[in-house]
Amino acid sequence: MGKADVFLEHADAIGRGLRDIGRAAKESGVSVKMIRHYEAIGLLKKVTRTYANYRVYRDGDVHTLRFIKRARTLGFPMEDIRELLALWQNKSRPSASVKKIAGGHMQGLKRRILEMQSMVATLEHLTHNCHGDGRPDCPILDDLAGPGKPGTLR
Amino acid sequence: MGKADVFLEHADAIGRGLRDIGRAAKESGVSVKMIRHYEAIGLLKKVTRTYANYRVYRDGDVHTLRFIKRARTLGFPMEDIRELLALWQNKSRPSASVKKIAGGHMQGLKRRILEMQSMVATLEHLTHNCHGDGRPDCPILDDLAGPGKPGTLR
DNA sequence: CTTGACCCTGCCACCGTGGGAACCCTGAGG
DNA sequence: CCTCAGGGTTCCCACGGTGGCAGGGTCAAG
């Protein structure tokens, strides 16, 4: 029966670890759109096709998709994920490499958190002093209008 | 002397509240590129031009640019800034409108901060358990590889 | 007249995601 | 057989903001 590596009959592809892109999307939590995108940018290797040119996904592919999904959920950028995938697939990787990537990403996250917290602090202060009624006086607008140096958080 | 409203001689434009885009950029902290962009999307009204088609900025324009810059620094998205600018220019605005926009923005910031903090917490935990040496064992990759439900922070 | 520092417009890129058009394929029901 | 729904396929466009570059015009100083 046509369980060949390269091209498949559609009917052979049902069940036992073979599924079309829609099912792979449901199982992995990655949208159909994104699965194709990941393949296009080489994050996911090209999958087998049926004779009708349908993509066919095996268990391993879905596993990889879940890996990517999880990494995205943790905020890793694509470039990091590319490296993490390579390390994952390389059984003899040094865990230090992985840790370094994760550490770098964490640093970036922390920096952005600090930035946003500083924004929130300023906004809290401004809205606290704004009565927020029908009158036009508004310290928020006053702050935005200057005259502090531009680009600084006051 | 040619201090007309619509078109200006270049030489007339120097000094006294009139400057070209480069100077406006330096004074406002907004890049030349972005100044043009803000004008293109209607955030900044079209400015006067010299006969040679150079943009000419007045004090008020630079003031507006600083307003935008400050709002960007506080993380407001363009759409919010558009509204804030309108309110700023409307002397009889109710401060409640401003407060509402700021509050909505703050909520978004806080939500994103929480998301990122949750990412950091997970990553801290994972990297803490990863020895980060030459050996391949790595809880970070193990986590990414599942088998938890995709799309959740564990 | 030349040079260097500006300015102008317009197009492309990033990242990650979604939307949609135009088309092909499959399976089920009349 | 034909039709119809519900997939799949490719390709292009959009977003928010920002930067870069190409190919031109202009201005002041030497």
Side-chain angles (χ1 to χ4, degrees):
Chain A
M1 318 76 170
K3 284 213 297 175
D5 279 53
V6 188
F7 290 107
L8 297 162
E9 290 290 345
H10 188 98
D12 290 345
I14 309 297
R16 300 173 335 272
L18 297 180
R19 62 243 338 121
D20 62 19
I21 199 171
R23 200 160 300 265
K26 267 172 212 150
E27 288 177 23
S28 64
V30 179
S31 75
V32 168
K33 225 52 208 263
M34 282 300 101
I35 295 180
R36 288 197 276 247
H37 180 61
Y38 293 156
E39 180 181 327
I41 65 174
L43 207 57
L44 200 61
K45 71 179 201 309
K46 300 212 172 204
V47 295
T48 309
R49 305 278 188 129
T50 68
Y51 285 106
N53 206 31
Y54 283 25
R55 290 172 179 83
V56 174
Y57 294 87
R58 296 164 216 274
D59 294 347
D61 301 318
V62 174
H63 200 178
T64 304
L65 283 170
R66 280 211 230 97
F67 184 103
I68 297 172
K69 174 72 177 177
R70 173 85 180 126
R72 291 289 307 136
T73 303
L74 287 175
F76 282 100
M78 291 309 192
E79 271 323 293
D80 284 5
I81 296 180
R82 194 182 296 274
E83 295 176 42
L84 289 170
L85 274 174
L87 291 169
W88 183 43
Q89 273 138 20
N90 170 8
K91 304 245 153 82
S92 65
R93 77 255 158 178
S95 64
S97 310
V98 183
K99 197 168 182 174
K100 189 169 156 228
I101 294 173
H105 174 46
M106 254 198 295
Q107 248 188 311
L109 282 176
K110 286 179 181 170
R111 188 182 41 74
R112 292 197 288 150
I113 288 172
L114 285 178
E115 282 171 10
M116 293 203 285
Q117 277 173 337
S118 146
M119 294 177 190
V120 168
T122 305
L123 289 167
E124 293 272 22
H125 173 248
L126 292 174
T127 54
H128 178 73
N129 291 27
C130 172
H131 14 267
D133 54 15
R135 284 171 294 169
D137 323 273
C138 182
I140 304 172
L141 290 181
D142 292 346
D143 177 281
L144 291 174
K149 291 202 204 94
T152 62
L153 282 169
R154 289 189 280 276
Chain B
M1 324 72 171
K3 283 212 301 174
D5 279 54
V6 189
F7 290 107
L8 298 163
E9 290 291 345
H10 186 98
D12 290 347
I14 308 299
R16 299 175 334 272
L18 297 179
R19 59 234 357 110
D20 63 19
I21 199 172
R23 200 161 300 264
K26 267 171 214 153
E27 290 178 23
S28 65
V30 178
S31 76
V32 168
K33 219 59 205 271
M34 282 299 102
I35 295 179
R36 287 197 276 248
H37 180 62
Y38 294 156
E39 179 180 328
I41 65 175
L43 208 56
L44 200 63
K45 70 178 202 309
K46 300 212 174 205
V47 295
T48 310
R49 305 278 188 128
T50 68
Y51 285 107
N53 206 31
Y54 283 24
R55 290 171 179 84
V56 174
Y57 294 86
R58 297 166 216 273
D59 294 347
D61 301 317
V62 174
H63 200 179
T64 304
L65 283 170
R66 279 211 231 98
F67 184 104
I68 297 173
K69 174 70 177 179
R70 173 85 180 127
R72 291 289 308 137
T73 303
L74 288 174
F76 282 99
M78 291 310 194
E79 272 323 293
D80 283 5
I81 296 179
R82 195 183 294 275
E83 296 175 44
L84 289 171
L85 273 174
L87 291 169
W88 183 44
Q89 272 138 21
N90 170 9
K91 304 247 152 87
S92 65
R93 77 257 160 177
S95 65
S97 310
V98 183
K99 197 168 182 173
K100 191 169 154 227
I101 294 174
H105 174 47
M106 254 198 297
Q107 248 187 308
L109 281 176
K110 285 180 180 168
R111 188 182 42 72
R112 284 162 51 202
I113 288 172
L114 285 177
E115 282 171 10
M116 292 203 285
Q117 278 173 338
S118 147
M119 294 176 189
V120 168
T122 305
L123 289 167
E124 293 271 21
H125 173 249
L126 292 175
T127 54
H128 178 72
N129 291 28
C130 173
H131 11 265
D133 54 14
R135 285 171 293 170
D137 324 273
C138 181
I140 303 172
L141 290 181
D142 293 347
D143 176 282
L144 291 174
K149 290 200 204 96
T152 61
L153 282 169
R154 288 189 280 275

